[in-house]
Amino acid sequence: MYQDKTLICKECGAEFVFTAGEQEFYASRGLMNEPSRCKACRDARKNNARPREYFEATCSMCGGPARLPFVPKQDKPVYCSKCFETIKGQ
């Protein structure tokens, strides 16, 4: 059904192959557009993304340190990774 396609990277102008397997993966995820960048340019773009900022808080369950990717709110409990996994597993 799918066949390998040769595409041109809009970033560096190099040719790259959009394999049948990649096309099938894109279709299974509902992605309609073909990739416009080669793997090297996609990886470089991803690595240049802004680093995530973390915030320190105290775990509501065990009282230990919790490192969060969001600003904690005073009216909501926060959990360290270990306690979060315990709650999530229940």
Side-chain angles (χ1 to χ4, degrees):
M1 181 167 153
Y2 296 103
Q3 294 182 354
D4 290 356
K5 291 183 183 180
T6 301
L7 304 175
I8 306 293
C9 177
K10 78 175 191 178
E11 194 86 18
C12 68
E15 289 186 351
F16 66 98
V17 177
F18 185 35
T19 66
E22 290 171 329
Q23 292 173 49
E24 190 173 344
F25 175 80
Y26 272 54
S28 72
R29 299 289 191 265
L31 302 172
M32 304 304 292
N33 299 321
E34 296 177 340
S36 57
R37 292 178 179 83
C38 65
K39 176 142 175 56
C41 288
R42 287 193 313 260
D43 290 344
R45 187 176 169 97
K46 187 179 358 176
N47 290 335
N48 287 336
R50 187 170 49 130
R52 183 175 270 191
E53 184 178 359
Y54 287 92
F55 302 89
E56 298 295 324
T58 302
C59 178
S60 299
M61 185 179 255
C62 71
R67 193 165 175 236
L68 310 168
F70 57 88
V71 178
K73 295 181 180 178
Q74 298 296 343
D75 61 336
K76 303 260 183 176
V78 294
Y79 304 103
C80 64
S81 297
K82 183 179 174 188
C83 291
F84 181 76
E85 288 300 321
T86 302
I87 291 169
K88 192 170 98 173
Q90 293 178 354

